[in-house]
Amino acid sequence: MKRVVYFLCLLFSLITVSARNGHFDGEILTNGIFITPHDLATNRVSEQAETDDLNTVVNVDNNVLLIRHGLEQRYKFGTLSGYYKDGYRYRAFGKKNIFSASGYYKVLDAAGLIIYSKRSGHRKTGGKTYYYYSTGWDAPVRRLTRQNLEGDFSNDPVFVDAATSTLQGQVFLTEKNGRMLINDLYLSRKK
């Protein structure tokens, strides 16, 4: 039991150090917002600041809370194109209503297809991470499934088959050449 408590304390201290000082590789963590879709696509961050106790961005119920020098400014969903936090872009997508999915999608890779993740919350199970893609910054965000890939790439069944095989066991998350495997497949099909 003592080992478990020691391990948890050590893990918490590493996470705390990482969040305050940067990633484990020494990168300084910053945050900010994307006002326009062009800002998001070109990674032009507004209101950028280093993350610390007085400067951060928080997603609260799909509303972005920008904290600067301890002062809070709230942006309702739909007024921003996204936000930047700790080295990742988050894209706003969807319309807020009962029958559609909306929210902020974490950009994992933008080398070809734009690959996203989004965690769904559930009070009993804690939620699950789902993966999505879009064919461009102005294209809809779609769940990463064989059916959606077949719809978007019906003229390229070889790519659909190869991409679908990477979906098994989430192999598409494997990085190669700084890109996810699914983007290597996507980019190589154009050659």
Side-chain angles (χ1 to χ4, degrees):
M1 182 67 172
K2 287 181 181 179
R3 287 183 189 173
V4 171
V5 171
Y6 174 76
F7 176 75
L8 291 174
C9 289
L10 179 62
L11 182 62
F12 179 74
S13 65
L14 286 173
I15 291 170
T16 303
V17 168
S18 174
R20 289 192 180 158
N21 297 332
H23 289 288
F24 291 109
D25 63 3
E27 179 184 350
I28 301 297
L29 301 179
T30 62
N31 60 74
I33 56 176
F34 298 110
I35 307 294
T36 67
H38 182 71
D39 292 343
L40 176 69
T42 58
N43 206 20
R44 194 173 81 203
V45 181
S46 298
E47 301 286 336
Q48 189 166 358
E50 287 185 18
T51 301
D52 60 27
D53 293 339
L54 296 175
N55 292 293
T56 192
V57 174
V58 182
N59 180 350
V60 179
D61 295 328
N62 279 337
N63 292 305
V64 173
L65 186 62
L66 179 70
I67 303 168
R68 289 292 175 256
H69 308 292
L71 301 173
E72 299 177 359
Q73 185 169 355
R74 184 177 298 267
Y75 295 90
K76 286 186 173 187
F77 182 76
T79 60
L80 295 176
S81 290
Y83 64 92
Y84 183 84
K85 184 170 182 169
D86 299 339
Y88 289 98
R89 288 183 272 185
Y90 292 80
R91 178 185 174 190
F93 182 77
K95 301 232 184 270
K96 231 178 168 180
N97 70 40
I98 206 164
F99 297 111
S100 68
S102 66
Y104 290 93
Y105 295 76
K106 183 178 184 178
V107 178
L108 302 175
D109 186 0
L113 291 173
I114 302 167
I115 307 297
Y116 310 88
S117 69
K118 186 173 184 219
R119 184 132 179 101
S120 71
H122 190 276
R123 62 181 175 81
K124 289 185 179 180
T125 63
K128 182 178 178 181
T129 300
Y130 292 96
Y131 296 93
Y132 301 83
Y133 73 97
S134 67
T135 56
W137 291 105
D138 56 349
V141 174
R142 297 171 49 99
R143 185 109 175 259
L144 191 50
T145 65
R146 179 178 184 94
Q147 182 178 1
N148 286 338
L149 289 170
E150 285 174 341
D152 286 337
F153 300 100
S154 59
N155 61 342
D156 195 350
V158 173
F159 168 69
V160 172
D161 287 341
T164 300
S165 70
T166 70
L167 296 177
Q168 305 301 323
Q170 297 181 341
V171 177
F172 71 92
L173 291 173
T174 305
E175 287 191 35
K176 180 182 172 190
N177 303 323
R179 293 187 300 257
M180 290 188 167
L181 181 56
I182 198 165
N183 264 335
D184 271 352
L185 295 170
Y186 178 76
L187 293 170
S188 68
R189 78 189 219 332
K190 293 181 177 182
K191 291 180 180 178

